[in-house]
């Protein structure tokens, strides 16, 4: 399982609902937690690993592994908050993003059981960020056009550097 980086069309697709709560889904979720941990992330959506399905995993600083399948944010608070965000699919780029402070989200667990929770703070922010991924939205879509151009340029520079290293390795 490999992370997909900005520029890959799969990140811009709207994900399909999960309809099968089977062993394959459980194995995929377990692998996603490994990728997220290895990448030092706090959330990872299925589209970020090339899976066009509506689910994501979260593990913030409270240490609890959470799985959100077919999530739907059903209520948002009027209070907004601004905080720095990054994304595993937009490596080494961070920007201030405005989001709703509190949300209520409905979702299913791995067994297909429905849940509704209220979230605030970091958990609310991560749920909103990952839900955006399921809708083909990246956090850079929520910042100024100038900052977004910076992110895109940084990714292109990183890709060019990797390509250059590969070419040198092949020649050498």
């Amino acid at each position: 399982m490999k992370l997909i980086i900005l520029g890959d069309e799969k990140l811009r697709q709207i994900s399909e609902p999960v309809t099968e709560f089977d062993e394959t889904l459980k194995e995929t979720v377990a692998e996603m937690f490994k990728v997220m941990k290895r990448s030092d992330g706090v959330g990872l959506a299925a589209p970020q690993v090339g899976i066009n399905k509506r689910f994501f995993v979260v593990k913030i600083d409270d240490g609890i592994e959470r799985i959100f399948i077919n999530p739907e944010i059903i209520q948002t608070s009027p209070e907004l908050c601004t905080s720095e965000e990054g994304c595993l699919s937009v490596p080494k780029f961070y920007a201030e993003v405005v989001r709703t402070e509190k949300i209520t989200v409905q979702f299913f667990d791995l067994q297909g059981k429905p849940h509704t929770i209220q979230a605030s703070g970091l958990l609310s922010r991560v749920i909103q960020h990952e839900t955006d991924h399921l809708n083909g939205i990246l956090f850079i879509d929520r910042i100024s056009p100038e900052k977004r151009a910076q992110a895109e340029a940084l990714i292109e520079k990183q890709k060019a550097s990797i390509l250059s290293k590969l070419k040198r390795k092949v020649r050498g």
Side-chain angles (χ1 to χ4, degrees), residues 54 69-75 104-107 131:
R54 296 189 74 77
I69 301 171
N70 297 334
E72 185 180 337
I73 297 172
I74 59 169
Q75 188 173 2
T104 302
V105 61
Q106 291 180 334
F107 62 97
T131 299

Side-chain angles (χ1 to χ4, degrees), residues 98-157:
V98 178
R99 294 209 185 260
T100 301
E101 173 64 31
K102 298 175 187 172
I103 60 169
T104 302
V105 61
Q106 291 180 334
F107 62 97
F108 294 90
D109 63 21
L110 275 174
Q111 289 70 43
K113 181 180 174 193
H115 297 272
T116 302
I117 64 165
Q118 293 182 330
S120 61
L122 181 59
L123 182 58
S124 172
R125 180 168 292 278
V126 174
I127 291 170
Q128 291 175 73
H129 178 109
E130 301 307 333
T131 299
D132 274 355
H133 275 297
L134 305 182
N135 295 315
I137 299 168
L138 301 175
F139 87 102
I140 61 170
D141 298 333
R142 299 193 177 279
I143 61 177
S144 72
E146 296 81 17
K147 284 282 191 185
R148 181 178 175 170
Q150 287 177 358
E152 291 168 343
L154 177 64
I155 297 300
E156 287 306 312
K157 185 177 176 184

Side-chain angles (χ1 to χ4, degrees), residues 7-23:
D8 190 310
E9 293 296 319
K10 292 176 186 170
L11 289 173
R12 295 302 189 172
Q13 296 174 349
I14 296 175
S15 299
E16 299 292 326
V18 172
T19 56
E20 304 222 5
F21 296 80
D22 56 10
E23 197 58 38

Side-chain angles (χ1 to χ4, degrees), residues 48-104:
Q48 292 180 272
V49 291
I51 300 169
N52 188 26
K53 291 291 182 182
R54 296 189 74 77
F55 68 96
F56 57 83
V57 298
V58 173
K59 185 175 180 184
I60 57 172
D61 51 11
D62 62 9
I64 299 170
E65 291 186 345
R66 295 175 172 91
I67 300 122
F68 294 83
I69 301 171
N70 297 334
E72 185 180 337
I73 297 172
I74 59 169
Q75 188 173 2
T76 59
S77 68
E79 300 87 25
L80 301 175
C81 62
T82 303
S83 190
E84 187 176 75
E85 287 188 26
C87 180
L88 297 177
S89 292
V90 188
K92 300 179 183 174
F93 182 82
Y94 303 89
E96 296 287 317
V97 178
V98 178
R99 294 209 185 260
T100 301
E101 173 64 31
K102 298 175 187 172
I103 60 169
T104 302

